[in-house]
Amino acid sequence: MMRMLPLVLIAISLAAGGCATATTAQGGAEPPGSGPRGLVVEPNADPYPSTYTPRPSRPTLIRNATLLTAAGPIIRGGHILLEDGLIASVGEGDIPTPAGAVVVDAAGRFVTPGLIDTHSHAGDYPAPGVAALSDGNEATSPVTANVWAEHSVWPQDPQFPRILAGGTTTVQVLPGSANLIGGRSVVLKMVPARTVQEMKFPGAPYGLKMACGENPKRVYASRGPSTRMGNVAGYRAAWIEAQAYRQRWDRWLRDRSGEPPTRNLGLETLADVLRGNILVHAHCYRADEMAIMIDLAREFGYTIRSFHHAVEAYKIADLLAREDIAASMWSDWGGFKMEAIDSVRGNVGLVHAAGARAIVHSDDPIGSQRLNQDAAKARAAAAALGIDIPEHEAIRWVTINPAWALGLDDRIGSLEVGKHADVVLWSASPFSVYAKPDQVWIDGALAYDRAAGAWRTDFELGYVPATGGSDR
């Protein structure tokens, strides 16, 4: 799949005669914002680019492993070679040990791709859960497409190393669901960092968070919208405005005639959704609302990548399969509010059986540490309905399917040659309640070793009292 990064508005300096010399956030004749007048859209530019750098690594050969590749049947007694940050070899039997390689004898233990969580608020709802750190919902307007979740992420959140210790290597951090349109998501790697950009997955598409139903109704009951029909009217008004904004900018980019349109951060994001550069993730519980959201997307010419929570996805699983929309679901959360009242524990299995892309997500920092156990519960619930889903298929719920939902399935999510070496060695089958990650690699570098423990963020390191009194 060919992927384009969002189109970002970058300042220019206008030369005589109407000619323009563009600059990018990475360099050029003038830094962003230095041009006296005018703006231009430059593809493949990001004003907050990733500065992630893979950690140093040595070639690593894991042999005698039970491989759940997420790309085919189980491989028993197999090997996987991690080299230069990528998967260099994977298959049955053994291979000669490369010079200088670290050799890990799995002794029959299970190896999977790094787990992927499509729905996290780690970092923008960090621990401790106090009001001063509550930065996930910009609940000031029903439409806040102008906000970006990464600008709330706190890299020192002590939840991050615990998520890694659960075998999750990649998460999508989303704004909350107070708003009809909540803003942009960001995809992060679970690595120690001083800045969010050091965690940011290079080149990952942005997501747009939308929300249906009770949450925006409740938050905006006194200001509106206060009904589901008001919700839909609010979406439509926003997309109508975005269509006009996109047309103005696309026309100016084509003709370069006169002054460019005035920049609007919220409409800029929505316009890039319409261009196909930002992926839509919609918080939606009820089947009827998901169907309306599909019609809404069709009306304005964009696509929905995944419905989140989707407790009634089983009712429209055939529709999701036909529209190629993923469902990011819990294994067993339900009944905690009216729109969740018709949940069933077989939801994930029923969606899978219908041929749709089933995903197990968390929406919870503890759940993100135990995605494998939630997948196991969903598999057991399917079996109780007579739907037998083998391990090599169920592992896709927390690996390649979420990778697809994030637009990253060509890079992560399965154990295949050429993909990023995000790999977990488990103490037992990941579908066992007793299983724990023994070791986790990210881009071929050992990121977690259970024998050594997880890294500690600065928040957990404490402080040294000043000898000369205190300063606040």
Side-chain angles (χ1 to χ4, degrees), residues 206-242:
Y206 284 106
L208 178 74
K209 174 70 174 291
M210 298 182 68
C212 304
E214 291 183 24
N215 284 16
K217 277 182 56 179
R218 182 187 70 252
V219 173
Y220 295 99
S222 62
R223 292 174 280 168
S226 62
T227 62
R228 283 180 166 82
M229 61 184 175
N231 285 355
V232 175
Y235 305 133
R236 297 180 77 194
W239 289 116
I240 288 170
E241 195 174 358

Side-chain angles (χ1 to χ4, degrees), residues 2 12-13 63 78-79 84 97 146 156-157 180 195 218 223 229 304 351 375:
M2 184 175 181
I12 63 167
S13 59
R63 55 170 48 128
H79 74 273
D84 297 325
T97 303
N146 54 309
Q156 302 307 321
D157 185 353
L180 301 176
T195 69
R218 182 187 70 252
R223 292 174 280 168
M229 61 184 175
I304 296 169
V351 169

Side-chain angles (χ1 to χ4, degrees), residues 48 68 118 121 144 185 199 288 370 375 401 403 447 458:
Y48 307 98
L68 290 173
T118 59
H121 297 293
T144 56
S185 69
M199 303 178 74
D288 61 308
R370 295 169 176 83
N401 287 0
D458 283 359

Side-chain angles (χ1 to χ4, degrees), residues 181-408:
I181 300 176
R184 293 198 195 198
S185 69
V186 64
V187 179
L188 304 178
K189 289 175 174 281
M190 293 296 93
V191 294
R194 299 164 301 167
T195 69
V196 66
Q197 288 167 272
E198 292 175 353
M199 303 178 74
K200 195 171 174 180
F201 197 118
Y206 284 106
L208 178 74
K209 174 70 174 291
M210 298 182 68
C212 304
E214 291 183 24
N215 284 16
K217 277 182 56 179
R218 182 187 70 252
V219 173
Y220 295 99
S222 62
R223 292 174 280 168
S226 62
T227 62
R228 283 180 166 82
M229 61 184 175
N231 285 355
V232 175
Y235 305 133
R236 297 180 77 194
W239 289 116
I240 288 170
E241 195 174 358
Q243 281 183 324
Y245 181 85
R246 177 197 174 181
Q247 289 168 359
R248 289 195 299 272
W249 268 102
D250 288 353
R251 187 182 308 114
W252 186 86
L253 286 168
R254 182 184 65 247
D255 301 335
R256 303 288 173 137
S257 175
E259 287 290 309
T262 301
R263 185 178 181 183
N264 180 296
L265 292 178
L267 295 176
E268 182 177 301
T269 289
L270 297 182
D272 248 4
V273 173
L274 297 176
R275 294 183 180 108
N277 298 327
I278 294 178
L279 307 177
V280 174
H281 297 267
H283 159 121
C284 223
Y285 284 71
R286 288 185 357 190
D288 61 308
E289 288 191 279
M290 287 185 269
I292 289 171
M293 293 296 278
I294 292 171
D295 287 340
L296 176 75
R298 188 176 293 115
E299 178 184 3
F300 291 99
Y302 65 90
T303 58
I304 296 169
R305 197 69 167 186
S306 182
F307 285 115
H308 288 231
H309 311 334
V311 299
E312 292 187 10
Y314 66 94
K315 296 183 180 181
I316 55 166
D318 58 330
L319 178 59
L320 297 177
R322 184 172 71 244
E323 298 290 332
D324 199 17
I325 300 173
S328 297
M329 299 164 282
W330 296 298
S331 61
D332 55 5
W333 286 20
F336 52 90
K337 55 181 175 176
M338 281 304 300
E339 64 185 359
I341 204 72
D342 223 5
S343 63
V344 297
R345 290 184 175 176
N347 194 27
V348 175
L350 289 166
V351 169
H352 175 95
R357 295 182 196 266
I359 294 169
V360 173
H361 74 345
S362 76
D363 192 27
D364 178 81
I366 294 177
S368 196
Q369 299 168 41
R370 295 169 176 83
L371 282 181
N372 63 306
Q373 292 185 15
D374 271 328
K377 288 191 291 183
R379 182 169 174 253
L385 297 177
I387 304 171
D388 182 25
I389 302 172
E391 289 182 329
H392 72 269
E393 290 186 20
I395 197 65
R396 297 174 65 88
W397 300 341
V398 287
T399 55
I400 193 63
N401 287 0
W404 179 87
L406 301 183
L408 295 170

